[in-house]
Amino acid sequence: MIAMAYVCALLPLAGGLLLCAPKIRVWRANVVMLILAAIESACAGYIAWQRTPDASVFFCDRYFVIDATSVLFLSLISLVFLGVSVYALHRRSTGTLDGDPELYAGRSLLFFAASVLAVLSNHLVMMWIFLELSALAIAPLIFFGRGLDAKRASWKYLMFSVVGLGFNFLGLMCVARAIAGGAGAHSAGELTFFIDELWHVHSIGDSHWWRLGLALMVFGVGTKLGLAPMYSWCPDAYDKAPPSVTVMLAAVQFNCVVVMLFREVGLLRSFDSQLVSKELIAMGVLSIGVAALHIVKARNYKRLIAYASINHAGSIALGLAVAINLNAAYGVVLYVVSNAFVKAVLFMSCGNIKAHFGTKQISVLRGVIRVMPFSGWVFMLGVFALLGFAPFGSFIAEVVMLSNMTEGGYLLVFFYVCVVLTIVLIACGRLLFPMIWGDASDEGIRHNDPFTSHLASMFFIAVLLSLGIYTPAPVSHLLQEVAKTLVGH
Amino acid sequence: MNDASDLFVLYVAAVVVPLMFQSWRVAILGLGAQGILLGSILASHHHPWSGQLVFEYAYLFAIRGIVLPWYFFRRQRDHTGESEFVLIRKNLFQWLIAASLVLVSFMFGSRLSPNNPAEAWQVGTAASALLIGMLILSHRSGPLGQIVGLFTIEGGIALIELLSPHAMPFPVAIGVSIVFVLLMLTCGLYLGQLPADTLATELAATEDKGVL
């Protein structure tokens, strides 16, 4: 199993370095990327299959770990990356993805390698390093084959990303200072960021340092997730990037940051659950409110999905804030997993629709489902999952999270979330349903929309349905194991 | 005042003085001075010699102090896009804000570490760098201005990192410095590719057109 973990960590790194190396020409780089992504997914599946439940296996001097959280998110991002590779290959074959294919595949693989290493990290600063590296790898991909607007969006993403992670790092340093003080002043307390060791820290030392560190850590991760108030990079980057890159940002990198949030919140909640909850609630409430306002006035469907992503990030923050028991935490984990597939499906469909119609403006599009049947259906199902309709996994997750808000006594938050969700539902329906079902001006002209170009999206929709209707026992057990880490020790 | 507090005063000067000049050369030199001062502050802690300490000195003095300003100086000289360079607007009100931020930072430092004046100085200096960096970033003065703001914040974070009595494990320290170098190179990629005008305004103007 450890050998497979090494393969998972090093294979995309080697592939990325090879493809990015100057003077080395690789035959069909996108095919190579697809093959490597398939091997990666197989290895992740093997690790998940072989892993002993409720056990952690450390490797590479304990810097990396195979536990429930790393296995779940490794499998998740590997599947999404495989879907992205299939999609990118299709886009390349239809001539709708510009730029040097080797550079695109190489940078994507380097980004993915950093993401995998971040997910597997057992050391908070190591995880921070790999998240920074993943941001640096993907930033130039945002303007890959695009113009000045995309460059600006990429720059904005880079700035926010580095500042957000900087705050997180600062928070870690403050917590380290607090722990060092608590363990007997400057000479006695050993500085540790190994997650398994931090579980055993009982004294938190100087409470000022501790609270400052905690607040900065959550704020930093919130910035990376696109939570308000530091959210403005998110719609710009998601909108301007090529669709495959948007999926990598929204469903791969987002989940790596969620891993960091899970690890940190799980640890910190043991010491000061009130402060963590209050900060998460503040950011969550602000995010879903801001996102709803933007959704109401959206005119661009890709941007609308980007705002919905901010809404989802806010919901995750709120869910995590009120997750005081195992059932509530299970709802959050299920929501996160569903959210990854929903965003992958929607952004890939957006790319197909934009490639055919040449616009992202909602008002000029009508009857997409008639002109592009497969894209239209996939987009429609994605929107249903986005809005939390039954029987998708996101429906179950939302119900669990909302019911836990009432159980936990967060009635005001519950009421607020219900109002905002209703506004989002109405706004999305008003904007997107005519776009999907309206009368198309070129209804008679069916676009060549092959079934094969939606293989990845259809697989993701099947997974979403499965999460809502029947979750296999091993998957359910894995989700529960991750949920356990969120409620603190 | 002792040696360490002198260094902190100099560090604050390296952060604040570039605000008063409309010169990208002074701004970049300020970043280099911050790197050199970070190395000097580490030296003032009198840690026992080790391979890792040598590495840390090389990282702070050579990379932050020399390579970073040299690299950005070259990149900016090759792309002389920003003829009218400003970090913050040159008026009394803006300088007053900057001075207030420094003052608040030192008050914050003394409140956070009331019984440890040396630590209070260090925290105050780091907080000044962080807040001034944020102030520069908030002015959206173009890529180089934002790079200066970003690396000023990075310097503040590095100062807080130096507070820790124990060094990070060596592989982690190497990783942090690799991230710094790659961040510097990536930021350099954008210099000359983005115009010096504001970044957010034009994006907002195109966001709802639905075209790319």
Side-chain angles (χ1 to χ4, degrees), chain A residues 230-244:
Chain A
M230 303 274 273
Y231 70 95
S232 71
W233 66 269
C234 184
D236 287 338
Y238 284 14
D239 181 27
K240 305 295 177 190
S244 53

Side-chain angles (χ1 to χ4, degrees), chain B residues 173-188:
Chain B
I174 293 172
V176 171
S177 42
I178 288 174
V179 165
F180 183 85
V181 172
L182 290 177
L183 174 64
M184 184 183 83
L185 296 174
T186 309
C187 285

Side-chain angles (χ1 to χ4, degrees), chain A residues 46-81:
Chain A
Y46 178 83
I47 292 170
W49 188 256
Q50 287 293 310
R51 194 183 76 89
T52 312
D54 299 310
S56 301
V57 178
F58 299 96
F59 63 104
C60 199
D61 277 346
R62 289 182 41 254
Y63 279 106
F64 298 101
V65 63
I66 300 170
D67 62 0
T69 306
S70 60
V71 165
L72 174 68
F73 284 92
L74 177 65
S75 310
L76 182 64
I77 65 170
S78 299
L79 272 179
V80 172
F81 190 71

Side-chain angles (χ1 to χ4, degrees), chain A residues 146 152 154 177 189 360, chain B residues 119 166 190 193 202 210 212:
Chain A
R146 306 261 158 152
R152 287 194 174 111
S154 165
R177 167 65 187 75
K360 288 188 273 185
Chain B
E119 190 176 88
H166 301 283
Y190 289 82
Q193 293 203 35
E202 292 188 21
L212 195 67

